[in-house]
Amino acid sequence: MDGFVGRSSDLGRLRAMFDNHDINAIAVYGIRRVGKTELIKRFTEGMDVLYIQFDRGPEAMVIKGAMGQLPVDHDGSTMLDMIESITELCREAPKVVVMDEVQYLLESVNGSDTVLQRFIDNVLRETGSRLILCGSKVSVLKDAVYKERNPLYGRLVGMEVEPMTFSDTCLFHTQMSDRGLMRMYMLFGGMPWPHRVSKSNSFREVVTTWYLDNSSPFRELAAGRIRNELEHGDLNEVIIRAVACGAHSLKDIALASGLSEPLCKTYLSRLMDVGILGTYAPMFGAPKRKVYRIVDGQVDFWYSLFDRRPLAGMPDDIGKRYTLLEKRIDTLMGHRFELFCSEWISRNYMCQQIGRWWGREETEDGSTDTDIDITATVDTGRSRHSLFVECKFRNGPARSADLRALQRRAGRLTPTPKLMIISAGGFEQDLADEAEAVGAVLVGADELMGRVPAPSLD
C-alpha cells in the first residue's frame, strides 16, 4: 500500500470541482493526519503548482516563512508583499496556488482574509489560476466557506476530508488477525500514515517496535500533536493527564489540573474541537452533567500507558516490556472497543440518538455504580427500538452472565428493551440459546469485519 488507499473518491471529488470552470477557489479541510496534503499532491501531479505551507507564529514569522518558499528573488515582510509576488508568478503562467495549513495565516495576519478575497476576485480571474486553501483547523476553514460575514464567503467551495474507514485501514495489514485489525484501528483510527509505516503481522509487534523501543518515532507523536497543534500545550497536557488518570467531570478535571473551572472548560472545549476529547451522551435518565473521555486513540494510548512510565525504568528486553504492560493494554483496548462498536452501530443502523447510560444499581451487597456500554434509539423504518448494548473484547467468548446483567439493567430503564451483545471473541452456546429465546441480537467478528451484514433488529 502506498498510503493513498481510501482516497480515490476524494480525488474524484476534487477533480470534479476543478472540472467546473465556475470554481476557481477550493477550501480542503480536515483534522491533522487524514491525508489532505497527500491528496492535494496527487491531484496536482503534472500541474504548474505554487505550494506554500504556513507555520504557527507571529505575523512577521508567518510571512517570512512563506516568502522563503516562493521562487522569487526579492524579499518581503507583509501579506501584500507575499500576494504581489504570487501575482507576478501567476501572470507569467497560470498556476495552481496551494496554501497549506492556511489557518496560521488567517489567525496571525490581520486582514489576510480580505487580501485573499481580492486575490480571488481579481488575480485568479485575470490569470486563469486556481487556489486551494488547505488546513487542519476545521472551524477556521468552515467559517471562510459558510459564514456570511467572512470576507471569503461565497468565493470558496468547501471539501472536508474524513479519516479512512475501518475497512480501508484493514488493507494495510493483510496478515493480521481480526482482533489485530480492530486494535490497529482503535489505536490509529483512520489516519493513513501510521498504518502505512506499521508493516507488522501482529498488534503486539507494532507496539513493541513502534512504542517500546527507545528510539520509536511514535512515542512522541501524541504528545507532539498536543504541543504543536494547540496553544498552551503544557496546560492541555495537564488536562489530558487528568482525564487519563480517571478525572471525567469538569469539577474533577479542574481540581486535578489546578485550573479554575471556567478556564478548564475553555481548554476542554478546544480539545473537543480538534477531536482529542469527547463526551458521553447521557440517555435514559443518566445524569446530564458532561462526562469527558479521550477519543483520539494515539493520545489515549500514550497518556494512559506511557506518559508516566518512562522506558528507562523498564527491562531492556522489549518483549518483557510488552508482557509487563499487556494487562493494561488489554484493559485500554477494551474501553476503546466501546468506541469502535458505537461507530459500527452508527454506520449500520439509523440511530436517532446514540450514547450511554450510567447510574446506581441495587444489589444484594447494597447500591453500586454501574453503566451500560452503549445505548441508542434506532429507527428501522418498520419500528423504533430502545437499544442497549454490551461490548466484550476479551479473548474468550461472551457468556450468559453478560446477557443477564444487561437484561437486568436495561429492564429497569424501559419496559421493552432491545438487547445486543457485541463480542470479538464469539459466544458461548448457552448465551446463543438464551439470546434467541429473549430476542437479543448477537454481533461477532464476522459482522464487525463486514463479512456478513449487520443483523436485523426487527
Side-chain angles (χ1 to χ4, degrees), residues 13 30 66 73 82-83 92 112 131 140 181 195 231 246 261 406:
R13 282 198 293 159
D73 293 331
M82 183 185 73
I83 291 298
E92 292 175 3
S112 56
L131 175 67
V140 172
L181 292 169
H195 288 285
E231 296 180 5
E261 289 192 20
L406 178 64

Side-chain angles (χ1 to χ4, degrees), residues 4-230:
F4 204 64
V5 62
R7 288 287 171 252
S8 57
S9 60
D10 292 322
L11 188 61
R13 282 198 293 159
L14 199 50
R15 283 175 175 160
M17 290 179 183
F18 260 58
D19 288 342
N20 183 343
H21 296 290
D22 293 330
I23 298 174
N24 59 9
I26 296 173
V28 179
Y29 47 86
I31 61 174
R32 275 192 185 274
R33 300 172 293 157
V34 292
K36 301 181 299 299
T37 299
E38 178 69 15
L39 170 67
I40 290 172
K41 287 181 178 178
R42 290 294 184 100
F43 171 71
T44 56
E45 285 178 355
M47 300 180 183
D48 193 353
V49 181
L50 193 60
Y51 181 87
I52 305 167
Q53 180 166 324
F54 295 100
D55 291 315
R56 179 188 283 119
E59 178 175 348
M61 185 180 296
V62 170
I63 296 300
K64 184 177 180 179
M67 290 293 290
Q69 300 173 57
L70 296 176
V72 295
D73 293 331
H74 56 276
D75 200 358
S77 59
T78 69
M79 173 80 175
L80 290 175
D81 292 332
M82 183 185 73
I83 291 298
E84 183 178 340
S85 297
I86 295 173
T87 299
E88 290 178 9
L89 293 167
C90 289
R91 283 174 176 157
E92 292 175 3
K95 299 283 191 298
V96 177
V97 181
V98 179
M99 295 186 177
D100 203 354
E101 300 300 352
V102 73
Q103 70 270 9
Y104 297 137
L105 174 73
L106 296 173
E107 291 181 326
S108 299
V109 181
N110 189 35
S112 56
D113 46 9
T114 300
V115 177
L116 286 176
Q117 171 204 328
R118 294 170 183 162
F119 177 73
I120 294 170
D121 289 347
N122 301 320
V123 179
L124 294 187
R125 291 177 182 175
E126 171 194 337
T127 65
S129 297
R130 300 288 186 94
L131 175 67
I132 300 177
L133 302 182
C134 182
S136 55
K137 192 169 183 180
V138 175
S139 59
V140 172
L141 274 295
K142 280 190 172 181
D143 280 352
V145 175
Y146 300 111
K147 199 170 185 178
E148 293 188 20
R149 293 183 180 180
N150 192 295
L152 292 171
Y153 174 75
R155 292 166 174 83
L156 296 167
V157 176
M159 174 179 162
E160 184 164 5
V161 180
E162 299 283 356
M164 293 188 303
T165 64
F166 169 58
S167 59
D168 283 333
T169 65
C170 291
L171 298 175
F172 287 95
H173 316 289
T174 55
Q175 302 302 312
M176 276 197 185
S177 66
D178 290 348
R179 284 175 58 83
L181 292 169
M182 293 179 204
R183 284 182 163 198
M184 290 296 288
Y185 187 74
M186 288 187 270
L187 172 55
F188 295 128
M191 307 308 173
W193 180 78
H195 288 285
R196 185 173 71 246
V197 300
S198 303
K199 298 184 182 298
S200 302
N201 293 329
S202 70
F203 179 77
R204 178 179 182 133
E205 189 178 336
V206 170
V207 174
T208 53
T209 302
W210 295 102
Y211 280 95
L212 295 177
D213 187 274
N214 292 336
S215 60
S216 164
F218 282 170
R219 297 194 76 246
E220 291 292 340
L221 198 61
R225 181 184 178 195
I226 294 171
R227 295 170 192 150
N228 296 332
E229 294 187 29
L230 297 167

Side-chain angles (χ1 to χ4, degrees), residues 186-426:
M186 288 187 270
L187 172 55
F188 295 128
M191 307 308 173
W193 180 78
H195 288 285
R196 185 173 71 246
V197 300
S198 303
K199 298 184 182 298
S200 302
N201 293 329
S202 70
F203 179 77
R204 178 179 182 133
E205 189 178 336
V206 170
V207 174
T208 53
T209 302
W210 295 102
Y211 280 95
L212 295 177
D213 187 274
N214 292 336
S215 60
S216 164
F218 282 170
R219 297 194 76 246
E220 291 292 340
L221 198 61
R225 181 184 178 195
I226 294 171
R227 295 170 192 150
N228 296 332
E229 294 187 29
L230 297 167
E231 296 180 5
H232 311 297
D234 54 340
L235 291 178
N236 284 293
E237 273 198 291
V238 169
I239 291 173
I240 291 292
R241 289 188 179 108
V243 179
C245 288
H248 298 297
S249 69
L250 172 60
K251 180 179 179 180
D252 290 343
I253 296 169
L255 184 63
S257 59
L259 300 174
S260 67
E261 289 192 20
L263 182 59
C264 186
K265 187 175 182 179
T266 298
Y267 282 109
L268 286 168
S269 178
R270 180 72 182 106
L271 286 163
M272 290 177 64
D273 286 343
V274 298
I276 293 175
L277 291 186
T279 59
Y280 292 105
M283 295 181 64
F284 299 103
K288 296 299 183 183
R289 61 178 174 81
K290 287 186 176 180
V291 177
Y292 294 90
R293 59 177 171 173
I294 303 173
V295 295
D296 182 285
Q298 292 182 67
V299 172
D300 199 4
F301 202 69
W302 171 263
Y303 284 93
S304 296
L305 295 173
F306 298 107
D307 181 54
R308 296 173 308 281
R309 192 171 287 106
L311 294 184
M314 299 182 71
D316 291 335
D317 184 270
I318 295 178
K320 290 181 179 179
R321 290 178 178 181
Y322 187 92
T323 301
L324 188 65
L325 291 172
E326 188 167 13
K327 287 186 178 180
R328 293 178 182 270
I329 292 172
D330 288 345
T331 298
L332 180 61
M333 289 294 108
H335 291 314
R336 296 207 59 79
F337 186 58
E338 295 171 13
L339 280 167
F340 181 91
C341 294
S342 182
E343 181 181 314
W344 182 86
I345 290 169
S346 297
R347 190 168 63 247
N348 285 280
Y349 300 102
M350 187 65 69
C351 296
Q352 304 300 315
Q353 185 181 8
I354 187 165
R356 185 183 180 95
W357 175 86
W358 61 93
R360 303 288 293 178
E361 181 181 34
E362 296 298 330
T363 67
E364 294 179 357
D365 299 324
S367 181
T368 184
D369 289 325
T370 190
D371 58 50
I372 296 175
D373 293 337
I374 301 171
T375 59
T377 53
V378 180
D379 189 345
T380 66
R382 296 174 55 189
S383 55
R384 185 183 178 93
H385 296 283
S386 296
L387 183 65
F388 298 85
V389 186
E390 181 75 9
C391 306
K392 295 297 180 185
F393 197 62
R394 61 169 73 107
N395 285 318
R399 310 179 185 102
S400 296
D402 299 321
L403 176 59
R404 293 169 189 165
L406 178 64
Q407 189 175 23
R408 183 181 67 250
R409 292 166 189 162
R412 293 171 179 171
L413 302 176
T414 181
T416 57
K418 188 66 179 181
L419 307 179
M420 176 183 287
I421 304 289
I422 302 180
S423 172

